Amino acid sequence: MIVFKTFGLCTLFGLTTAQIQQNIQNSLSVHDEEPLLRGLKLGELNFIHTTDTHGWYGSHKAQSDYDADWGDFISFIQHFRNNRIHGNKLIKRDLLVIDTGDKHDGNGLTDATSPNGLEANEIFNSLDYDLLTLGNHELYSAERAVFEYYTTAMSYRFKDKYISSNVNFITATGDEVPFGNKWRYFVTPYTRHRILALSFIFNFKTPNSRAKVTPLVEEIKKEWFLQLINKYPSNKIDVLLVFGHLSATDPVEHEINYLYDVLRSFYPDTVIQFFGGHSHIRDFVKFDDRSTCLQSGRFSDTVGFISINNIKSKHSEPIFFRRYLDFNKRSFKFHAKTKHLSTKVGNYVSSKINVLRTILDLDHQYGIVPQTYYMMARPLDSESNIYYLFKSEILLSLNSSITDPAIGRMIMINTGAIRYDLYKGPFTKDSEYIVLPFENTWNYMILPLKIASRIEEFLNEYPYVMKMLSPPEVFQNNILIKKNEIDCPVVDKPDLSEGYTTVDDFGCDGDDTPHNTQILYNVPNVIQSNQLVSTNPDSLIHFIFVSFLTDDILQAVNSIGSDISPGFQNYTSVDVNIYGGQSAKQLLREYIIQISQTQDK
Ligand SMILES: *[C@@H]1O[C@H](CO)[C@@H](O)[C@H](O)[C@H]1NC(C)=O
Ligand SMILES: *[C@@H]1O[C@H](CO)[C@@H](O)[C@H](O)[C@H]1NC(C)=O
Ligand SMILES: [Zn+2]
Ligand SMILES: [Zn+2]
C-alpha cells in the first residue's frame, strides 16, 4: 500500500518544510491564520471528480468550509489546468473532469423550478466535463428522464461525453436507445493514454416509463459488451475507466466488487480506475495494485482528486495519489496556486446563480434558527439533534380535524425525510428545500396501544434498513458500513472546524483540510412522538405516519399482531385513513416562525 504521509508539494519540488509553509502562507491572504492544507501530487493522468451535487451550485451559505459556488469551481478548474497541469511545459500531463450523477433534490436552485432542475441544469452544464452520467435522482420521474436526456445526454456539448452503459432511454415512440453512449474510447491529448470508459448505475429498481435500468450483472453478459472487449483487448488500452452511480464500498450488494472481478478477468494487468457515488461519503478503495476507486462526498462539499503515474511502465507498478478537497475558495486558490480565483466564465456562472436565487426568492426569510441541529453529528437524545427536535417539539404540533385530545396518539416520520443539518442563522425558503425537500401527507390507523407501541422498534430492526431506503443515501451514510481496517485517530482539536477526517484504504490523510473530527452517530429508520392519555394496552390510539410508510406500517402491525395474539385478523389498506394536517415542512416552518417571534420579545 502506498501512503503519502508528507505534503504533495514536498515530494514534488523537494522544498524544506519552512519553504513549504512559506508557499502556503503566500498563497493565502496575509492575515488568515489557516491550518496548513495538504497539497496534492500530480501525475501523468489527473482526475477531478464530483458526485451527488443535488443542486448545490450556490455554495453552503451557513458553512464557511464549503463557501465556493459553481462559478468558483469552474474558475478553479481553469486555474488548475493552466497553473498545475500545464504549468511546466516540459512535463506532459492530462486532466479529466468527471461527474457521477444525482443532480436533483436537496437545494432550492433545482427544486424550486418545474421541471426540477430546469435552470440549475444549465449552471451545472457550464462546466466542461470530460465524462458524465446520471444518478437515480435523474430517473425519479419520466419528466426527469426526458429532461436529462435532451438537455444533457444529447446536448451538443456532452453528446460524446455522456455515458451510461446500463441505462436505456425510451423515446416518445417507445424505442429503446442508450441513455447517451454505452462506452467511449479516446486517447488523452497530451500523454496519449488510450482510455476505454464505461459507466454503470447501481441496480435501481424504480425507473420510470421513459428509462430502463438493466442490472450491471446482466448488462455485462450482453453481446455489445463482449464485442467491445474483443474490439479493445488489453493491448489496445492503457486505462479502463469505470465511473458511475454506485458506491465504492457496498457491503450489501457488492455490485462494484462484482464488476471489478469481471473486468479484471478480461484485463489481468490493465489499470482500472473507478469513480463512484450515491452513498454520499468520501471514500477510496484499493482493489489491487492496479485498480482503485474514488468517491467524492456530496452536495458540493468535496472535490475529489486522483493522479496516476507509471501507467505504461513495464517495470514498476502504477502510483495512485488521492486527495479530497473541501469545496471552498481557500482550498481552490491553494491547489490552483492562484491568489485570485475568479475568471470571466466563473464570474458569469456565479452571477447567473445569484440571479436565479433572486428570481426563485430563495433567500426569503421566515425566521431565525437559534442553534444548529444535526442529523448524525450529535447523539439522538441531544438537544442539538434535529430528530430530537422533531420528536420533542415539531411533530407534536400536527393538528387536523381528526385530532382529538381525548385520544392518545403516536406520530411517526422516517428519518430519511430529513436531508440535511439545520444550521443556525436565517431560515429561508432555501433552508426548507435543503432540510425537508419532500412534501408529505399523513395517514393514520386506529390501533390498540399494545400493537402501536411496538411498531417503532419493529421498523428500526436491522432487516428493514435496506428496504426502507428512500431516499437511500441517508442510511448508507453510516460510519458502521466502513470496514475500518485502518486505525485513524479521532482528531480532537476544537480550534479546527468540525468536518471530514476520512478513513480510507490509503490511510488517514486524504482530506486536504485538517478538521476536528465530526463523529457521526447511527440514525434509526423512523422516529416518533407520543401523546398518550392512557397506558392501558388495550386502549385504542391514533397511530399517525407519513403516507410513504403505509406498506411498512401494515407489515409491522400484522407481524406484531400475529405475534402477540393467535387468530389475529390482519389489517389492510382499508384500515388506513387520511389524517390531514400540516406537512412536516409546514410544521418546521411554523415552529421556526413561532420561536423567532419569542426570540424577538
Ligand atoms: C386544529 O385544527 C382544527 C381544524 O382542523 C381547528 O378547529 C382547531 O382550532 C385546531 N387546533 C389548534 C390547537 O390549532
Ligand atoms: C398477515 O400479515 C403477515 C405479515 O405481513 C403475513 O405474514 C401473513 O401471511 C398475513 N396473514 C394472512 C392471513 O394474510
Ligand atoms: Zn445522491
Ligand atoms: Zn443516488
Side-chain angles (χ1 to χ4, degrees), residues 169-182:
F169 179 70
I170 296 163
T171 65
T173 51
D175 294 326
E176 232 180 280
V177 296
F179 209 115
N181 307 281
K182 285 226 169 279

Side-chain angles (χ1 to χ4, degrees), residues 453-466:
S453 60
R454 289 176 55 175
I455 298 174
E456 182 180 20
E457 190 191 350
F458 183 94
L459 293 177
N460 283 333
E461 296 270 309
Y462 174 69
Y464 263 88
V465 172
M466 284 306 153

Side-chain angles (χ1 to χ4, degrees), residues 209-257:
S209 61
R210 300 298 296 272
K212 187 176 162 197
V213 175
T214 304
L216 68 89
V217 179
E218 288 167 33
E219 191 71 43
I220 58 180
K221 288 176 188 149
K222 287 187 181 169
E223 193 57 32
W224 75 268
F225 186 74
L226 302 172
Q227 280 173 5
L228 182 69
I229 283 171
N230 276 331
K231 187 171 175 191
Y232 298 108
S234 54
N235 62 358
K236 289 204 179 139
I237 64 173
D238 300 309
V239 176
L240 189 55
L241 197 59
V242 189
F243 68 109
H245 199 72
L246 73 178
S247 315
T249 302
D250 175 359
V252 179
E253 305 291 338
H254 309 289
E255 284 194 279
I256 199 163
N257 308 85

Side-chain angles (χ1 to χ4, degrees), residues 52 54 101-102 135-137 140 201-202 245 277-280 472-473:
D52 297 272
H54 289 279
D102 268 7
N136 48 307
H137 285 259
Y140 273 179
I201 189 172
F202 73 99
H245 199 72
H278 183 61
S279 54
H280 291 192
E473 298 88 350

Side-chain angles (χ1 to χ4, degrees), residues 74-99:
I74 289 174
S75 299
F76 162 68
I77 289 178
Q78 254 181 297
H79 288 299
F80 188 77
R81 205 182 281 282
N82 291 340
N83 298 350
R84 302 294 309 268
I85 300 297
H86 304 307
N88 182 341
K89 298 285 173 240
L90 299 176
I91 303 176
K92 284 193 170 126
R93 298 188 179 109
D94 277 298
L95 174 68
L96 295 172
V97 186
I98 300 178
D99 182 78

